[in-house]
Amino acid sequence: MLTRRRAMQVLGWGLASGLSLGLATPVSAQGYPERTVKLVVPFAAGGSTDLVARLLADKMGPILGQTVIVENRGGGGGTLGADAVAKAKPDGYTIGMATMSTHGSNPAVYTRLPYDPIKDFAPITNVVSVPSVFVVHPSVPAQTMKEFIALAKAAPGKYTFASPGNGSLGHANIEQFMDLAGIQLLHVPYKGAGQAATDALAGVVHAMTDNLPSTLPNIKAGKLRALAVLAPQRSPVLPDVPTYRELGFEEMSEGGWFGLVAPAGTPPAVIKRLHEAAHKAMATPEFKEKLAAMSGIPMANSPEQFAAQIRVAIEKYRRIAKAANIRIE
């Protein structure tokens, strides 16, 4: 049985602990960040998502007063990296790049995705929209998309297209294009965009679609021929290449985007700090200049607006996946 003095000691410790716990969240959020922040990219190094992430991390670090390092966690079409962010401690020291793949097409095609794209993440801000481009090998006797469509209609299934994998964003986009154009191409899935590009350059496959920044050098070198750009307007780096919308495919008017997310449960004050730092980073002249060089379109917005964009992307690709019967068990 507790004595009165002992009971008062226990009560005092309890009150002190309660006050300490109650102040822990706001104090830690106010002092955030106190160490290095990790930015997870769900794809291999060298791709468009990686390039944007490294540029953003470089600019956010000085603003936050701590180093922001990029960690590439590729695999599963972005699912492994996204899952790592979803399951990370929600303290703001592990954040990730969400893409149209991880938070759009993957939730639509995977029947057992290891993460919930809505419930498991706290959106911070969208960062950039990057156009994708439909290219063919120079051996294909088509100088325009109209000529390519005519070739494909004359020989259904003859012409092949490469994608980074079955159910990938590239696969879903070409399936939508085939449906709208009334053509039939043979899908050749690869394990990543790098392998797909290698065979497209070698002429093993006739066509592919990929992010413009990573494909642009091969287009300029004449190793691939660009026929259409997936973006709201023409790219300044490919001014002579029409958009899908100009070609009559109104439904295909939005390029892929890359944005910042944190694990669900991350304190609102930390989300606000990251949001402000990201927006300041995106406003720097060097960020704008390098973004323009890769034909990127700034997409800075609020966490609520980014959450709405994610929901729209998921619904869009669910419709495409259902129409094309794309499912990954």
Side-chain angles (χ1 to χ4, degrees):
M1 185 173 180
L2 292 177
T3 64
R4 177 179 175 82
R5 183 178 180 181
R6 178 60 176 165
M8 292 300 293
Q9 285 179 333
V10 171
L11 178 61
W13 291 338
L15 288 171
S17 299
L19 288 171
S20 176
L21 287 172
L23 292 172
T25 298
V27 169
S28 62
Q30 187 177 4
Y32 172 87
E34 298 177 337
R35 62 179 189 274
T36 297
V37 176
K38 180 169 64 178
L39 173 55
V40 177
V41 173
F43 300 102
S48 300
T49 313
D50 180 65
L51 294 174
V52 171
R54 291 182 186 279
L55 177 59
L56 186 64
D58 181 60
K59 298 303 174 189
M60 283 182 67
I63 295 170
L64 290 170
Q66 294 289 343
T67 302
V68 179
I69 62 168
V70 172
E71 179 181 296
N72 297 92
R73 294 283 294 271
T79 60
L80 296 184
D83 189 46
V85 175
K87 291 178 171 55
K89 188 176 180 180
D91 55 7
Y93 291 99
T94 298
I95 57 178
M97 293 298 287
T99 72
M100 194 78 90
S101 294
T102 63
H103 287 68
S105 60
N106 285 356
V109 302
Y110 281 84
T111 58
R112 288 181 289 183
L113 201 63
Y115 61 86
D116 187 305
I118 303 297
K119 297 178 181 179
D120 292 344
F121 298 90
I124 299 170
T125 179
N126 207 334
V127 176
V128 57
S129 174
V130 175
S132 63
V133 58
F134 184 94
V135 294
V136 295
H137 188 265
S139 63
V140 176
Q143 298 298 316
T144 66
M145 181 60 87
K146 183 177 179 180
E147 292 178 357
F148 180 78
I149 292 173
L151 289 174
K153 284 186 175 180
K158 173 183 176 180
Y159 291 94
T160 55
F161 78 91
S163 82
N166 188 38
S168 64
L169 183 63
H171 178 201
N173 285 338
I174 297 298
E175 288 285 355
Q176 183 182 29
F177 167 59
M178 288 193 293
D179 180 57
L180 295 172
I183 61 175
Q184 182 182 344
L185 305 176
L186 180 62
H187 178 215
V188 183
Y190 288 83
K191 292 182 178 180
Q195 292 182 12
T198 297
D199 273 9
L201 288 166
V204 176
V205 289
H206 298 105
M208 70 173 291
T209 185
D210 197 8
N211 289 324
L212 179 55
S214 52
T215 314
L216 186 60
N218 291 318
I219 295 172
K220 289 188 172 182
K223 297 178 180 178
L224 294 170
R225 183 183 304 129
L227 300 186
V229 172
L230 181 59
Q233 60 271 331
R234 292 195 185 198
S235 168
V237 298
L238 291 176
D240 297 327
V241 180
T243 64
Y244 282 95
R245 174 183 282 173
E246 289 179 83
L247 294 168
F249 307 111
E250 184 64 32
E251 296 89 338
M252 300 184 70
S253 60
E254 183 182 24
W257 43 248
F258 315 136
L260 283 178
V261 293
T266 300
V270 172
I271 296 295
K272 182 180 179 182
R273 181 83 173 97
L274 288 166
H275 179 270
E276 291 173 347
H279 280 221
K280 287 180 181 178
M282 287 183 270
T284 60
E286 186 179 359
F287 187 93
K288 290 180 178 179
E289 182 181 338
K290 291 188 176 181
L291 202 62
M294 63 174 69
S295 201
I297 303 169
M299 296 281 282
N301 58 11
S302 69
E304 294 77 17
Q305 289 170 328
F306 189 26
Q309 288 178 319
I310 290 172
R311 288 187 172 89
V312 168
I314 293 172
E315 288 306 312
K316 170 186 174 180
Y317 284 101
R318 277 179 179 160
R319 291 193 298 269
I320 295 172
K322 183 177 180 180
N325 195 28
I326 307 174
R327 290 184 52 160
I328 299 178
E329 299 293 337

